[in-house]
Amino acid sequence: MPRDPRYDILFEPVRIGPVTAPNRFYQTAHATGFGWQRPQSGAALRGVKAEGGWGVVCTEYCSIHPSSDDSPYAFLTLWDDDDIAPLAQTADAIHAHGSLAGIELWHGGAHASNRMTRLPGVAPDVQPALYHLPATARAMDLADIRAFRGWQRDAALRAKRAGFDIVYVYAGHDYLPFQFLSRRTNHRGDAYGGPLENRVRLLREMIEDTKEAVGDTCAVAVRLAVDELHGPEGITSEGEGREIIEMLAELPDLWDVNVAGALGNDSRSARFSPEGFQEENVAFVKSLTTKPVVSVGRFTSPDRMVAQIKRGVQDFIGAARPSIADPFLPAKIRDGREDEIRECIGCNICRAANNEGVGLRCTQNPTMGEEWRRGWHPERIAVYPRREKALVIGGGPAGLEAALTLGRRGLEVALAEAGDAFGGRLLREATLPGLATWMRVRDWRLHMIGKLPNVEMFPASRMGAADIAEFGAYHVVLATGSGWRRDGVGVYAIRPLSLPEALTPDDVFAGSPVTGPVVIYDDEHYFMAGALAEKLAAQGHEVHYVTTAALASSWTVLTNEQDFLQARLITAGVAIHPLKALTAQGKDEVRLACVYTGREEAMPCGTLVLCTGRLPETALSGDLAARGIAAVRIGDCLAPSSIADAVHSAHRYARLLGEPDLPPRRERAPERSL
Ligand code: ADP
Ligand code: SF4
């Protein structure tokens, strides 16, 4: 299909200093969990982005010196010449599709843990090493600052030799150059501290040094947090953020601007911020510079993208998560297939991957992170050699993904769902506060299945073993999901309890009456207990949130949501009771025990809601086994987990059907040397 002319503006080339981006789609730096340890995985991932039409593709943070070591997290390094060849693979993979390769040179200052290198951290002042307590970062003297400028210059030269087109000066996310900029972290009394002109000095010198080193052929970009969201004591878009841009307006070749304070602010989940949420903080930048400006905001709608350009908010459409959920987003708009964009749902499972030190994963895109490891491509899949019949039972995330992927492979697919609507757990979970975008997991799959003549959909069709036998499919795939458990068994409390009066989230969604005071018991630690607490508090219930962990929804630390969530619960009047395990439910009360001492207490309780874990729905599987009918279980009915895991499980099954199930490749030595 030809492209809609409304979107032509997105495909205009844009000059960035000495280089030209082929279009306005700009994949800003984002972590992959691969880093220097897994260069081939990183190169393949970035190559797919370029293939999908992102005109600029940037790496994740790339350390310029061993005093900036983020171990155990995955980060790139340009510490010596041996780092050049592995990174050249990434630049080559991006260039293979005509895109520009950007590299985010990084020094974490007091935020670098240096657990591997065991060097003391460096900072404008003596400062606690935030991620490596009880260590302290030492104050940089003038000789240190001179050395630091040399590290940036040397890394820039190596980046140029590796083939990068855009080299970053990274002054965001509370890292070293930003620590110099902010009054909150710079208390120096010399030429690099005090008034803003002095605090900006290092950033100015870094830009000048980098330009002098590589500016003849490489664009020099500055990534700056223009608002650290700490109010007037920090950098704000109305205050010093604006002044910094005014002072340096024409110095870099590109401004990449965002908000900081913590990484979580910049990549807030949909639960806590809508699409385009940074605009109010960054929109002023373009009026102060003639240089191109890029920012982010989880943009997935081409019309909103066009509006960003036309309204003069930015010159590029900056994206990290939308490019993870759909590496081919630009190509789809280019080819008039914008309806096929697999929209990011803003769940931040991708952030959790890096925070856990594993390769990138995505709820919407099961191939993300698997490009090199398993050879999966988001848009291409091998046709299955025979047109066999497959019956998929259950229309949640796993069943929909299996039906779609088997359909793409050319099988004759029937998808049967007991309920009137497809979506499974999403039909319930997307009704929770802030989670409406999660329905995109269903909507995109339903839409794409609708394009396949070989996939038939059967809603309101509860299948028993006899129905399945009668249907006579060659492949029977069970995606029948899971149910919340009623016995109180969870992460911490592994002994079953008798709790006949308790409700589960399934009961609450089904409309079981809830009377206060409500005790929500979390021994699962992901989103459900926190979201239910928020929902029930909004309905006017007195809510007590009891958790065996120290924090509410503690696993969401990894999705960078926890601090937002806990603040929201406190503000909503939810009473949080950490580090307590449920031991019994009596009349109008529950009994709780301290997880350390076992000391018991009673808490008044009208309704107890158990969020402790889920059990797979295996009854149908058992019935089929009794009849000797072979079936494969996928998703939650195999092992209840995140939606991301259910989609991945289904995709893996469908992609590997008829193929050998080999272990994923692991990185050993680089395949290319310079
Ligand atoms: P997953 O996350 O693994 O996709 P879900 O719980 O979201 O799991 O979805 C499971 C779906 O399977 C639900 O929509 C449920 O109605 C459906 N289902 C369960 N048992 C049957 C059955 N016997 N026949 C048809 N559909 C079923
Ligand atoms: Fe978006 Fe979630 Fe995928 Fe991250 S994991 S890119 S937030 S859909």
Side-chain angles (χ1 to χ4, degrees), residues 392-400 416-419 421-428 458 461-464 468 479-483 614 617 620 634-638 641-643 646-647:
V392 181
I393 296 148
L400 288 166
E417 163 56 47
F422 291 94
R425 58 188 284 189
L426 295 166
L427 295 170
R428 301 180 290 277
F458 298 96
S461 303
R462 178 169 290 282
M463 303 292 282
I468 295 167
T480 47
S482 60
R614 285 173 290 143
E617 187 53 64
L620 185 54
I634 58 169
D636 289 338
C637 89
L638 177 63
S641 183
S642 61
I643 297 167
V647 169

Side-chain angles (χ1 to χ4, degrees), residues 514-520 536 541-545 604-609:
V514 173
T515 52
V518 183
V519 174
I520 296 187
L536 294 176
H541 294 285
E542 176 187 334
V543 179
H544 294 265
Y545 184 114
C605 174
T607 305
L608 170 65
V609 184

Side-chain angles (χ1 to χ4, degrees), residues 74-338:
F75 59 104
L76 295 170
T77 51
L78 271 175
W79 294 348
D80 57 32
D81 286 358
D82 288 347
D83 281 325
I84 297 174
L87 274 165
Q89 292 181 89
T90 291
D92 289 352
I94 296 167
H95 290 156
H97 302 283
S99 304
L100 296 180
I103 185 160
E104 188 182 48
L105 301 185
W106 164 75
H107 198 294
H111 283 266
S113 70
N114 299 346
R115 287 178 175 92
M116 169 178 59
T117 60
R118 303 198 64 179
L119 297 177
V122 291
D125 285 307
V126 175
Q127 214 186 306
L130 190 62
Y131 300 125
H132 191 32
L133 297 173
T136 305
R138 67 182 177 82
M140 293 166 80
D141 61 20
L142 292 181
D144 292 321
I145 291 177
R146 261 194 310 280
F148 169 74
R149 290 173 57 186
W151 304 337
Q152 167 79 16
R153 210 171 17 235
D154 291 348
L157 286 166
R158 291 189 183 111
K160 180 178 167 175
R161 281 175 63 196
F164 286 92
D165 310 286
I166 303 174
V167 176
Y168 267 76
V169 172
Y170 184 13
H173 293 133
D174 286 351
Y175 293 134
L176 186 62
F178 194 82
Q179 290 157 21
F180 271 85
L181 288 175
S182 175
R183 279 188 288 236
R184 297 173 57 244
T185 42
N186 182 345
H187 309 109
R188 300 173 70 97
D190 63 3
Y192 290 90
L196 185 61
E197 300 84 77
N198 284 359
R199 283 180 276 130
V200 164
R201 189 178 310 278
L202 181 61
L203 177 57
R204 183 191 293 279
E205 290 171 345
M206 289 173 76
I207 303 170
E208 288 167 351
D209 293 343
T210 310
K211 284 196 97 163
E212 196 185 298
V214 301
D216 53 339
T217 56
C218 301
V220 174
V222 172
R223 190 167 211 200
L224 177 72
V226 292
D227 200 319
E228 55 183 315
L229 303 181
H230 275 293
E233 65 169 306
I235 286 175
T236 62
S237 0
E238 306 84 42
E240 291 193 340
R242 187 181 184 92
E243 288 176 55
I244 296 168
I245 301 276
E246 279 168 349
M247 285 178 194
L248 305 176
E250 300 300 315
L251 207 49
D253 296 313
L254 173 133
W255 284 102
D256 178 344
V257 287
N258 60 8
V259 295
L263 270 172
N265 279 332
D266 183 28
S267 53
R268 262 181 262 172
S269 71
R271 202 169 166 188
F272 299 101
S273 286
E275 187 172 334
F277 66 94
Q278 302 208 16
E279 182 175 329
E280 59 176 318
N281 298 106
V282 303
F284 74 91
V285 176
K286 251 194 81 58
S287 66
L288 300 179
T289 176
T290 63
K291 303 293 173 155
V293 175
V294 63
S295 186
V296 291
R298 251 184 20 252
F299 295 107
T300 56
S301 143
D303 292 306
R304 269 177 168 270
M305 294 175 191
V306 169
Q308 286 282 300
I309 309 292
K310 288 203 167 155
R311 289 192 295 109
V313 181
Q314 50 176 323
D315 298 285
F316 288 97
I317 298 306
R321 287 171 292 178
S323 75
I324 294 170
D326 197 342
F328 275 63
L329 182 152
K332 288 175 181 175
I333 302 174
R334 181 194 63 208
D335 301 340
R337 294 185 291 126
E338 55 273 8

Side-chain angles (χ1 to χ4, degrees), residues 480-487 489 506 612-618 633 636-640:
T480 47
S482 60
W484 284 89
R485 27 192 334 154
R486 300 182 174 281
D487 57 3
V489 172
D506 293 328
T612 64
R614 285 173 290 143
L615 290 170
E617 187 53 64
T618 53
R633 283 194 286 152
D636 289 338
C637 89
L638 177 63

Side-chain angles (χ1 to χ4, degrees), residues 298 320-326 343-351 361-365 644:
R298 251 184 20 252
R321 287 171 292 178
S323 75
I324 294 170
D326 197 342
E343 290 183 285
C344 167
I345 69 168
C347 62
N348 279 9
I349 284 291
C350 49
R351 290 250 17 111
R361 60 179 177 244
C362 170
T363 299
Q364 276 283 57
N365 176 9

